[in-house]
Amino acid sequence: MMANTDKKQAMRRANLRTALVLGAVAVGLFIYTLVHGFK
Amino acid sequence: MASAHHDEHPTGLKRWLFTTNHKDIGTLYLLFSLLMLFVGGAMALVVRAELFQPGLQIVDPHFFNQMTTMHALVMIFGAVMPGFVGFANWQLPMMIGAPDMALPRMNNWSFWILPFAFTLLLSGLFLPGGGPAGGWTLYAPLSTKGGMSMDFTILAIHMLGISSVLGAINIIVTVLNMRAPGMTLMKMPLFVWTWLITAFLLIAAMPVLAGAVTMLLTDRHFGTHFFDAAGGGDPVMFQHIFWFFGHPEVYIMILPAFGIASQIIPTFARKPLFGYESMVYATASIAFLSFIVWAHHMFTVGMPAGGELFFMYATMLIAVPTGVKVFNWVATMWRGSMTFETPMLYAIAFVFLFTIGGLSGLMLAIVPADFQYQDTYFVVAHFHYVLFSGAVMAMMGGAFYWLPKWTGHMYNETLGKWHFWLTAIFFNVTFFPQHFLGLAGMPRRIPDYALQFTEFNQISSIGAFGLGLSQLLFVYIIVQTIRGGKKATDKVWEGAEGLEWTLSSPPPYHSFVVAPTIK
């Protein structure tokens, strides 16, 4: 039971990490587009 | 697979408002998409009614322009994209053996942004000056000078972009992190592959659109001149930025359709998909190429010959991986034990009609020819062959294919076939004549036209009303299937392969509580 909960927590952390990286890429592209506009 | 405990869920309005279940959210997306199909379709019928005869009959030109603009925005962002996300929500976890999407609360939020965004977008029609009327491409200076509804549109596009990016993040995380043991990337069903690649396209393309409309907003209200030539800006830059989003967007709307066709055809040909690996690589190649062809939408703005040649050849290059796909679908059917149930009819029509749209796309890719075709009805015919007989008909095929699994009931096959033939015939009656109109020089986005275009326009308008009315049958079949009918087996289709068919029909509320092992 304990091992199962740990596994779930690890999966949640991994999911959150991947989501944050992808979200950062999206926000980065948005900012890059705006910066491009100032050129 | 699941105990009774796992089938417990809230009921009533609460179930749908607060749901974090991928099947419920999939259903919400699909119903929303169907609603938007009718809203956008009604707008198209206003356009076709006006174009039944030359001269101005039914609506004033400004309202006509609002209808063409809103039809496109509603269909693209309201019908096609949410429709495919609905399929992804229902199918992806079941296909990879996951209990749900990776980020279920975010999934709920992704959906519930949509009704508010579309309320905002559609309410623009009732503001002073009416809705946006400069085309879905929102080209400056039409969009920088438009009325208040343009601000509503910009905010709605921001919300839709956030919804799409959150949905895409959820899909990538689910596919990368939540596959059942043994489900390697190269064992994933092709629908999962096409959606994984589409999700990356969404993350790369939607923020660019958000950037473009943010600049529109600051040009309109905060004194910037990004797209204003008088202030040192450049309206052509808007077109470059818009189409850098816009062309990948075209593939965002077609890659999942490729995935659906790749699921249906092997089932009814009773053969494994021919060239699975080449299908994956072809999809990835198309996705990569989609980022280096954007300027083929704007050959006539005037660019160096080197640029025109580059974009022409790069565009033509897309025909290679697309050809690989079409070859593989046909090769899958070759000498298969084929039967022609409704989903298969849709899949075959998809391959045939999408190829016609692809070929007219190749004609448009040729720079000197494009100078003639630009902004004519030929373009309208081209993208409706890609988007209606491509994206929408693939979704209809997918709906008939998975509806027995989702509802636990078989749909009425006779009515399904009627729906297919009515849709396929009326679609061609509507859009095939538009090729001739375009080649003869009829411009798009106009409420009036020269007399010589009358006959083809009348055929097209009759087809459009037939196509619209046929979709009422689609709704009837869906409602009938949800309410009852012959019990569907777990496998539903004799030739079906994949994890979703190992679950009961309908599947339990929480599927794959224990991950299956894939050999």
Side-chain angles (χ1 to χ4, degrees):
Chain A
M1 189 69 184
M2 193 63 189
N4 220 356
T5 315
D6 286 351
K7 225 170 142 187
K8 265 191 180 167
Q9 285 297 332
M11 171 68 88
R12 276 190 191 148
R13 272 197 297 273
N15 288 347
L16 199 61
R17 229 180 358 251
T18 317
L20 285 173
V21 170
L22 292 167
V25 170
V27 173
L29 279 167
F30 172 66
I31 293 167
Y32 178 79
T33 308
L34 289 178
V35 171
H36 180 82
F38 280 104
K39 279 184 187 167
Chain B
M1 191 54 69
S3 67
H5 167 74
H6 288 121
D7 257 5
E8 281 170 16
H9 55 76
T11 50
L13 193 61
K14 265 189 174 174
R15 169 178 176 183
W16 301 104
L17 277 177
F18 304 130
T19 182
T20 52
N21 181 281
H22 72 102
K23 298 182 189 84
D24 282 353
I25 294 172
T27 304
L28 286 171
Y29 266 112
L30 289 170
L31 292 177
F32 182 80
S33 161
L34 193 61
L35 176 69
M36 287 296 126
L37 187 75
F38 279 91
V39 173
M43 290 168 176
L45 292 184
V46 172
V47 169
R48 282 316 320 169
E50 177 57 50
L51 291 175
F52 186 73
Q53 280 183 301
L56 302 176
Q57 275 83 222
I58 299 170
V59 290
D60 75 89
H62 183 58
F63 187 69
F64 180 92
N65 290 342
Q66 292 172 42
M67 286 294 101
T68 55
T69 304
M70 292 295 266
H71 162 71
L73 288 169
V74 168
M75 286 303 199
I76 291 169
F77 294 107
V80 177
M81 291 170 72
F84 280 127
V85 180
F87 278 97
N89 261 292
W90 254 104
Q91 288 305 122
L92 254 48
M94 293 204 292
M95 286 175 140
I96 62 171
D100 205 306
M101 297 294 279
L103 304 147
R105 290 185 187 90
M106 197 170 86
N107 206 11
N108 174 292
W109 192 33
S110 301
F111 172 77
W112 280 109
I113 288 174
L114 289 182
F116 296 97
F118 274 91
T119 307
L120 201 61
L121 182 70
L122 294 169
S123 63
L125 286 169
F126 305 100
L127 290 174
W136 83 280
T137 48
L138 311 170
Y139 277 4
L142 289 172
S143 49
T144 50
K145 303 275 185 274
M148 205 201 304
S149 64
M150 188 53 68
D151 302 317
F152 280 48
T153 306
I154 289 170
L155 190 53
I157 285 176
H158 272 304
M159 292 166 74
L160 295 169
I162 290 167
S163 163
S164 292
V165 169
L166 294 179
I169 289 173
N170 214 344
I171 285 167
I172 295 173
V173 177
T174 306
V175 174
L176 293 186
N177 292 356
M178 308 251 311
R179 297 190 312 278
M183 175 71 78
T184 58
L185 285 175
M186 277 307 185
K187 278 187 187 166
M188 292 194 311
L190 216 78
F191 181 68
V192 181
W193 257 116
T194 53
W195 242 117
L196 178 65
I197 293 167
T198 302
F200 278 108
L201 286 184
L202 276 165
I203 287 180
M206 295 308 290
V208 179
L209 176 67
V213 296
T214 303
M215 285 187 263
L216 276 185
L217 192 71
T218 59
D219 270 13
R220 286 169 62 82
H221 296 293
F222 302 104
T224 59
H225 301 281
F226 289 113
F227 308 126
D228 179 10
D234 183 4
V236 175
M237 186 177 76
F238 179 84
Q239 298 189 26
H240 278 290
I241 298 174
F242 180 85
W243 285 114
F244 186 81
F245 142 81
H247 202 77
E249 170 69 14
V250 172
Y251 292 97
I252 287 164
M253 290 190 283
I254 202 65
L255 293 186
F258 290 172
I260 292 176
S262 304
Q263 298 301 134
I264 295 174
I265 291 172
T267 297
F268 295 98
R270 292 167 180 78
K271 276 173 67 190
L273 185 69
F274 183 89
Y276 170 89
E277 287 192 14
S278 65
M279 283 299 225
V280 173
Y281 296 132
T283 311
S285 306
I286 291 170
F288 168 73
L289 288 171
S290 76
F291 282 104
I292 56 165
V293 296
W294 76 88
H296 70 212
H297 294 272
M298 39 187 292
F299 280 143
T300 53
V301 297
M303 68 180 97
E308 289 187 334
L309 284 174
F310 171 80
F311 286 109
M312 176 170 84
Y313 290 131
T315 304
M316 289 179 158
L317 210 56
I318 298 183
V320 178
T322 311
V324 168
K325 286 185 155 291
V326 173
F327 178 87
N328 286 348
W329 288 320
V330 175
T332 306
M333 289 188 259
W334 181 252
R335 304 191 74 176
S337 302
M338 285 170 61
T339 49
F340 299 93
E341 287 87 342
T342 309
M344 185 61 159
L345 292 176
Y346 270 106
I348 294 171
F350 162 81
V351 175
F352 180 68
L353 296 171
F354 170 78
T355 305
I356 293 177
L359 289 173
S360 58
L362 272 179
M363 290 170 70
L364 287 161
I366 302 164
V367 175
D370 184 77
F371 278 33
Q372 304 297 317
Y373 307 149
Q374 167 81 23
D375 265 343
T376 69
Y377 257 83
F378 190 80
V379 181
V380 178
H382 155 70
F383 67 70
H384 281 96
Y385 267 80
V386 177
L387 282 180
F388 191 92
S389 59
V392 177
M393 282 176 74
M395 275 198 273
M396 286 172 174
F400 282 110
Y401 183 55
W402 283 307
L403 207 53
K405 170 57 64 186
W406 297 342
T407 61
H409 303 124
M410 291 304 289
Y411 61 87
N412 183 324
E413 188 61 50
T414 311
L415 288 182
K417 286 200 168 95
W418 266 100
H419 179 253
F420 167 76
W421 285 109
L422 288 171
T423 302
I425 290 167
F426 281 125
F427 164 77
N428 282 291
V429 172
T430 309
F431 293 106
F432 207 76
Q434 294 183 5
H435 289 108
F436 305 130
L437 286 169
L439 292 176
M442 179 173 158
R444 63 190 286 205
R445 291 171 175 153
I446 52 146
D448 188 10
Y449 51 82
L451 274 178
Q452 72 262 29
F453 302 134
T454 309
E455 284 82 2
F456 281 135
N457 268 300
Q458 289 186 333
I459 295 169
S460 184
S461 290
I462 291 167
F465 277 87
L467 186 60
L469 288 174
S470 307
Q471 302 324 308
L472 297 175
L473 182 59
F474 187 51
V475 176
Y476 176 76
I477 298 169
I478 292 172
V479 172
Q480 194 189 41
T481 313
I482 293 170
R483 288 168 66 101
K486 202 180 128 200
K487 184 94 186 73
T489 59
D490 292 355
K491 204 175 174 193
V492 182
W493 310 108
E494 185 199 2
E497 300 281 348
L499 284 177
E500 77 264 42
W501 309 108
T502 63
L503 295 166
S504 59
S505 300
Y509 196 65
H510 296 290
S511 38
F512 296 120
V513 181
V514 179
T517 307
I518 291 90
K519 284 170 218 136

